[in-house]
Amino acid sequence: MDLDKTNRWLTLIANLGVVFGLFALIVEIRHSSQVAEVSAYQTRISEIQGMSLELALSSDISFILEKYQTKGVDSLSPQEYLRVNAWYQVILRQMQGQYYQYQNGFLERAVVDRTLLDISNGIYQSWEELGLLKSIEIEEWRNEISKTMLGKVNKN
């Protein structure tokens, strides 16, 4: 009789340990998700700040971009073309990375919508002119961009 009672107590303690362990695991997973989300936002902000700082401090890139935007791709020297191409390729990769973060639940839809607005307000045309559209690797992202651009064409 004492052995049976001891076994029941041990089983109860073991079950409570399992429940406590599951609770601790849930708390840890939730915390890890929050850390990942904050990290995604911080990475996004750092990338935007880095590009803005580069543009602010580099007289070369700002001059080249202004030349490209006002006089077109044909006005660029081969070196200038490479720099403009690299600049817009960085933008494409950063936006694609943000979309990937959104797909995985670390950025909100508003970020994607804002990015699509930026793309439709001139970035897409540059990507197209520079032959960068083939660099878009995420099919869903390509489809979102296409729908946005199709919607813009239909509004005009």
Side-chain angles (χ1 to χ4, degrees):
M1 201 58 120
D2 280 337
L3 186 59
D4 189 41
K5 196 173 190 180
T6 302
N7 279 341
R8 277 191 261 170
W9 276 106
L10 290 174
T11 301
L12 177 64
I13 291 170
N15 288 339
L16 288 174
V18 168
V19 169
F20 177 75
L22 288 173
F23 177 74
L25 180 63
I26 289 168
V27 169
E28 181 62 29
I29 289 171
R30 179 174 275 184
H31 177 71
S32 293
S33 294
Q34 288 171 336
V35 168
E37 186 174 344
V38 167
S39 178
Y41 274 96
Q42 187 58 45
T43 298
R44 178 175 178 265
I45 297 297
S46 294
E47 289 172 349
I48 292 168
Q49 286 176 331
M51 287 197 70
S52 295
L53 187 61
E54 177 70 25
L55 189 58
L57 297 178
S58 171
S59 60
D60 290 350
I61 194 65
S62 60
F63 169 76
I64 294 168
L65 288 172
E66 189 272 332
K67 182 178 177 182
Y68 165 66
Q69 291 168 356
T70 58
K71 298 179 182 174
V73 71
D74 292 334
S75 70
L76 302 175
S77 71
Q79 295 82 11
E80 291 170 335
Y81 175 83
L82 288 174
R83 294 203 54 201
V84 167
N85 189 288
W87 180 265
Y88 280 98
Q89 196 164 87
V90 166
I91 293 170
L92 185 144
R93 299 271 183 223
Q94 287 176 342
M95 288 179 169
Q96 183 169 254
Q98 291 171 12
Y99 187 79
Y100 182 77
Q101 291 170 336
Y102 160 73
Q103 280 183 314
N104 287 282
F106 297 116
L107 290 176
E108 296 172 356
R109 180 65 204 189
V111 171
V112 172
D113 293 341
R114 173 62 192 175
T115 300
L116 289 167
L117 180 63
D118 291 342
I119 289 170
S120 70
N121 285 333
I123 293 173
Y124 182 86
Q125 289 76 16
S126 294
W127 289 350
E128 190 173 44
E129 187 174 43
L130 297 167
L132 297 176
L133 294 174
K134 62 186 176 283
S135 299
I136 299 171
E137 298 165 343
I138 301 172
E139 189 66 31
E140 294 89 350
W141 181 226
R142 180 179 287 123
N143 293 339
E144 291 243 18
I145 293 169
S146 295
K147 282 194 303 189
T148 298
M149 296 311 296
L150 185 60
K152 184 171 181 160
V153 168
N154 289 339
K155 286 180 184 176
N156 293 336

